[in-house]
Amino acid sequence: MKNAFDILRLCAIAVGMAITISCNTVLVSLFPFAQGPSLWLALGFAGLCMAVIMLCFTELASRFPGAIGIRAFTKAAFGNRFSLAITLFYVVMMMMVGGLEGYLCFLMLQQVLSSQLAVIVLVGLILAVLVVNLRGYELSLNLQIVITVAVVAMMALLASMALAVPALKPPLSPISHSAEGLFAAVPRALFLFVGIEWAIMHVSRHDAFRRTLPIALMISVATIALLYGLFGSALQHHFNAADWGKLALPHLELARIIGSPVALWLATVIGVLAVLSSFNVGLSGAARILYSLAREREIPAWFAQLHGPRLSPRNAMLFISIGVLSMAPLMAMPVLNTSLSRLFSVHLVAVYALILLAWTKIRRQPDKRGIRQPLHPLVVWPTALFLAAIGIGVIAEPEAQLARLILLGEFLTIGMVCVYLRRPTLIKA
């Protein structure tokens, strides 16, 4: 019974982080490249890649029990400075996702509230999650399970209701089955699984790395692939290529197709709960990473300060919350909005490919610590090369000029931050 609850708890964290409003928006960006059966194929390829990544993640995490995020094993594999850059790159990506979530939640609340009231409600929701996390993480874990189950059930219900409604007009675009389209769709589909790995930070027993965690992660990958496959099929059932660019909030558009006030409120509740779920897991995980870096004296000690009877990393949590709220208005910029799916895809592919390379390097070390997963380098190496290829393909697209400039700016900024933080005066003798 306890093992089953542990699996449910880990699945709630993994799926809860992955199911977001922004994933519905990015899902639509797959449609020009994969439709019908090709959509399911793209989700299947992305799911297989994610399964390999999660098994590598699990094995690496078991070698460094208690480690926070990707920091420990990237440091062991690539050295301190490069690991610091990767970790900060990862945290920035999660804050960008949080900012997009906040902006999309604002658009969603505008459907039923005035703009001023929508801003107040959005800030109130984020502050509520922050307060819950500051008061004690066990409370937020129980809340996470309830939210995740509710979001999955309501998304599946909404998609099923939409599929039962006859399409008003036939699709105008041909069904795509080309290898080139699939190649372009997989990195975008990979974003739909983002955040699953955060469940690894909440393993309470080391023996859970043997079976409990791998089972929970594989169930989470399958759940997300099936859920977004169903949701994507419902969207393609009703909308054609001429409508895809207008689907900023796809779940609300499905609710309007159904034509029921209950469906509209159902979609609104889904959006609100998805924001709460994503921000709840992202806040605690990103704050832990910053806290860990501060404890290592890599970033200012201010981030390592603990407060309250639960010893919560309040300063780190406040920093993440303010960062998310600050990035939300930037996501309204049309010039940035068109590059988001590419940016997120490249971020994810780069981080995950480096995780696989770290696995191959650490696996060869004579130290046999940790719990080995059923993986072979002949599986991991092709997956890493595939991720690198599709990442390069996305960023090399002619329309990706702005995304390339933003990534260059990120690399330069993080590089300068790492050089500054590594000054001799900041290192303890």
Side-chain angles (χ1 to χ4, degrees), residues 59 62-65 76 206 362 365-372:
E59 182 174 322
S62 71
R63 291 176 62 94
F64 303 92
H206 189 264
I362 293 177
Q365 294 177 355
D367 183 6
K368 301 301 181 183
R369 290 182 304 161
I371 298 174
R372 287 204 167 199

Side-chain angles (χ1 to χ4, degrees), residues 289-338:
I289 291 176
L290 294 180
Y291 169 78
S292 176
L293 291 175
R295 287 292 302 271
E296 297 177 22
R297 296 180 178 269
E298 299 293 349
I299 61 177
W302 182 82
F303 290 98
Q305 295 179 18
L306 299 175
H307 301 269
R310 300 280 186 174
L311 299 179
S312 302
R314 185 182 67 185
N315 293 351
M317 287 184 176
L318 289 174
F319 179 83
I320 296 298
S321 301
I322 293 172
V324 168
L325 288 173
S326 300
M327 287 189 177
L330 299 178
M331 299 300 168
M333 299 170 58
V335 66
L336 179 60
N337 197 26
T338 58

Side-chain angles (χ1 to χ4, degrees), residues 90-173:
Y90 189 65
V91 171
V92 169
M93 180 192 71
M94 298 313 300
M95 291 176 66
M96 288 174 60
V97 173
L100 179 59
E101 285 291 295
Y103 170 63
L104 293 177
C105 183
F106 168 73
L107 293 182
M108 179 192 63
L109 291 172
Q110 272 190 314
Q111 308 300 312
V112 293
L113 303 172
S114 65
S115 297
Q116 294 79 6
L117 189 56
V119 171
I120 295 173
V121 171
L122 174 61
V123 174
L125 289 174
I126 291 178
L127 292 178
V129 174
L130 176 62
V131 170
V132 167
N133 277 272
L134 289 175
R135 292 190 62 183
Y137 194 64
E138 286 303 318
L139 174 62
S140 62
L141 273 179
N142 295 331
L143 178 65
Q144 184 66 39
I145 294 174
V146 174
I147 289 176
T148 302
V149 172
V151 170
V152 170
M154 287 190 290
M155 280 188 66
L157 176 62
L158 186 63
S160 300
M161 291 171 65
L163 284 171
V165 175
L168 297 179
K169 51 186 176 181
L172 300 179
S173 56

Side-chain angles (χ1 to χ4, degrees), residues 207-253:
D207 62 347
F209 287 104
R210 192 173 304 280
R211 292 190 60 188
T212 303
L213 180 62
I215 291 173
L217 292 176
M218 295 306 103
I219 291 175
S220 300
V221 169
T223 299
I224 292 165
L226 291 172
L227 186 63
Y228 281 113
L230 178 66
F231 210 75
S233 298
L235 288 169
Q236 291 185 353
H237 179 65
H238 289 286
F239 300 100
N240 54 46
D243 302 318
W244 292 340
K246 307 172 186 176
L247 298 179
L249 297 169
H251 58 295
L252 279 179
E253 299 302 329

Side-chain angles (χ1 to χ4, degrees), residues 17 22 50 57 70 85-101 190-191 193-198 278 282 286 289 320 324 327 331 340-352 407 410 414:
M17 185 61 189
S22 55
M50 201 65 190
F57 235 116
I70 65 176
I86 296 171
T87 305
L88 293 176
F89 187 69
Y90 189 65
V91 171
V92 169
M93 180 192 71
M94 298 313 300
M95 291 176 66
M96 288 174 60
V97 173
L100 179 59
E101 285 291 295
L190 197 65
F191 178 81
F193 300 88
V194 63
I196 287 182
E197 66 275 10
W198 290 57
S278 172
I289 291 176
I320 296 298
V324 168
M327 287 189 177
M331 299 300 168
L340 287 176
S341 66
R342 294 187 182 90
L343 284 172
F344 292 149
S345 299
V346 174
H347 276 79
L348 277 179
V349 167
V351 171
Y352 288 155
L407 284 171
E410 280 189 66
I414 291 176

